[in-house]
């Protein structure tokens, strides 16, 4: 059974940092592209970042460049999203996703987690 379980969300002040984790099971993690998306009631699912199988290639949305870093640990079947300099507009539910080939910014990914909530507010 495929599972993607996110953690690490919470309430943080503007300018603060959070590190999200997504633990995967039930598929061959090291041969899957991993990605993070975020979603709010007002917006469609929005791409944040993706990372290739062995992390030699990463891809970021413009708003994430310079502030967010995606990484993965294939030994732990876990993908991470380090978020720095957080802004109120980063408030959303963050979900990880996995696909055997697709690395783009559309929601074509095969598997999805339920998400972890991030709130940026003073």
């Amino acid at each position: 059974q495929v599972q993607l379980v996110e953690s690490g969300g919470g309430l943080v002040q503007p300018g603060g940092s959070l590190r999200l984790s997504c633990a995967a099971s039930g598929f061959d993690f090291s041969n899957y592209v991993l990605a993070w998306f975020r979603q709010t009631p007002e917006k469609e699912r929005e791409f944040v970042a993706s990372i290739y199988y062995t992390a030699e290639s990463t891809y970021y949305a413009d708003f994430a460049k310079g502030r967010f870093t995606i990484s993965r640990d294939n030994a732990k079947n876990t993908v991470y999203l380090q978020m720095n300099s957080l802004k109120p507009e980063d408030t959303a539910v963050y979900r990880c996703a996995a696909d055997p080939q697709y690395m783009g910014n559309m929601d074509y990914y095969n598997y999805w987690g339920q998400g972890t909530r991030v709130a940026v507010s003073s």
Side-chain angles (χ1 to χ4, degrees):
Q1 181 184 359
V2 171
Q3 281 196 311
L4 292 169
V5 180
E6 301 91 339
S7 61
L11 175 64
V12 62
Q13 291 188 340
S17 298
L18 280 176
R19 188 194 195 204
L20 306 183
S21 300
C22 174
S25 61
F27 62 96
D28 187 7
F29 183 86
S30 61
N31 287 315
Y32 272 67
V33 174
L34 278 297
W36 286 95
F37 284 74
R38 65 186 188 182
Q39 195 162 6
T40 66
E42 297 78 27
K43 276 188 178 181
E44 296 286 332
R45 199 176 295 173
E46 183 178 37
F47 173 79
V48 178
S50 60
I51 186 166
Y52 202 60
Y53 311 128
T54 55
E56 72 263 25
S57 183
T58 55
Y59 176 35
Y60 290 92
D62 285 344
F63 70 81
K65 291 176 183 175
R67 298 192 300 130
F68 295 1
T69 302
I70 188 170
S71 62
R72 65 191 293 165
D73 186 338
N74 287 344
K76 294 183 178 180
N77 283 9
T78 302
V79 60
Y80 304 97
L81 185 68
Q82 177 67 43
M83 304 188 295
N84 299 328
S85 303
L86 283 163
K87 306 174 182 179
E89 51 264 43
D90 294 319
T91 295
V93 174
Y94 284 73
R95 301 176 69 183
C96 65
D99 193 270
Q101 289 185 318
Y102 184 69
M103 194 179 170
N105 60 3
M106 303 298 287
D107 59 355
Y108 298 156
Y109 291 76
N110 244 4
Y111 303 133
W112 292 86
Q114 292 299 306
T116 184
R117 188 172 302 274
V118 171
V120 184
S121 174
S122 54

